[in-house]
Amino acid sequence: VRRVFKLRDIKINSIFSRILKFTARKCFCRPGISNLNQKIYRQNCYRCFRPLSNCFCRYLKPFQTNIHFVILMHPKEDRRQRTGTGRLTHLALQNSEIIVDVDFTQNKRINEIINTPDQFSAILYPGVKAQEISQNNILPDPSEEKKINIFLIDATWACAKKMMNISTNLQNLPHILFNNDKPPQFLFKKQPQKHCLSTIEATYYFLKICNQLKIEQTLRREDTMMSVFNRMVTFQMENQKQSKLQKFLS
């Protein structure tokens, strides 16, 4: 006698059940394809890797800079694309690149940039040894026509400290900072201190000062970075309100 078994009639243990569900998600849960529960999964942008509903690439206007920005991204930030600003900063700056790692001591690309002759490299990072850029003339004079490389750490402050502590090549770089009396606009994230800024905010204010020092001539194109950032903050704040309201009503 031929017996027809259905999935709901099969008694399986919890481990096999999880494997079966994982396989089903891999097979059916793709953008635009329904899964077994008839749920439609959202599509992602292939530039910023955010969901299309949370993609702000269309508002970005990439621009060129004299300074070469190197964004040192922690692997956790590389996977957390919804609220991270490092990739948005990279998409806005044409003369920039992202390098994902934790310990950059033996990173070939980093060491290549640092050891290139007739170039100046520094890291934008607060600390005891950091110098204020507008007061100490630490950046090369524009008349020297020397290429400037600025390293930015894109990570939580706890992860950023770890990256600095284990990356000896970054420790040996000149540390620079800038005075900023404006509070951070990353309203849906708690910052450890009032002066702590997101990657895109720090880059924005840094470019403003570089324009004052005649090192950059961006003609206020960096303003689009903050407008996109503010859109993202507003979007996330609205989502948080809706989420709290749904929890209250449920």
Side-chain angles (χ1 to χ4, degrees), residues 23 33 37 45 56 59-60 62 75 91 95 116 126-127 136-137 143 150 157 162 187-188 194 216 238 241 246 250:
T23 306
I33 300 178
N37 296 323
C45 170
F56 302 96
Y59 303 113
L60 282 172
L91 292 173
N95 191 11
T116 301
N136 297 294
N137 297 323
S143 61
I150 298 297
W157 283 99
K162 179 180 179 181
L187 302 178
F188 59 89
K194 292 182 178 180
E216 286 289 353
E238 289 297 326
K241 290 180 181 178
Q246 290 176 357
S250 60

Side-chain angles (χ1 to χ4, degrees), residues 7-8 10 12-30 34-37 39 41:
L7 184 61
R8 63 173 181 270
I10 301 176
I12 54 178
N13 58 46
S14 59
I15 296 177
F16 183 72
S17 177
R18 286 195 293 268
I19 295 175
L20 186 62
K21 290 178 181 178
F22 175 80
T23 306
R25 286 198 297 269
K26 286 293 183 180
C27 293
F28 296 100
C29 298
R30 295 177 181 175
S34 302
N35 67 356
L36 295 177
N37 296 323
K39 292 182 180 180
Y41 281 72

Side-chain angles (χ1 to χ4, degrees), residues 80-124:
R80 188 188 304 150
Q81 297 303 332
R82 189 164 55 148
T83 58
T85 65
R87 198 167 297 277
L88 277 179
T89 305
H90 168 59
L91 292 173
L93 302 174
Q94 293 178 341
N95 191 11
S96 68
E97 60 181 297
I98 292 179
I99 301 177
V100 182
D101 210 336
V102 178
D103 185 358
F104 296 90
T105 304
Q106 302 299 328
N107 190 287
K108 292 183 179 180
R109 177 56 182 155
I110 296 295
N111 291 323
E112 177 188 355
I113 296 172
I114 294 175
N115 297 323
T116 301
D118 298 326
Q119 293 189 13
F120 175 82
S121 296
I123 184 166
L124 187 63

Side-chain angles (χ1 to χ4, degrees), residues 27 48 54 77-79 91 97 106 115 136 138 146-147 151 155 189 247:
C27 293
C48 64
N54 190 15
E77 295 297 320
D78 186 40
R79 295 190 294 267
L91 292 173
E97 60 181 297
Q106 302 299 328
N115 297 323
N136 297 294
I138 188 171
K146 181 180 289 187
K147 182 178 179 180
F151 292 89
K189 271 192 174 183
K247 289 182 180 179

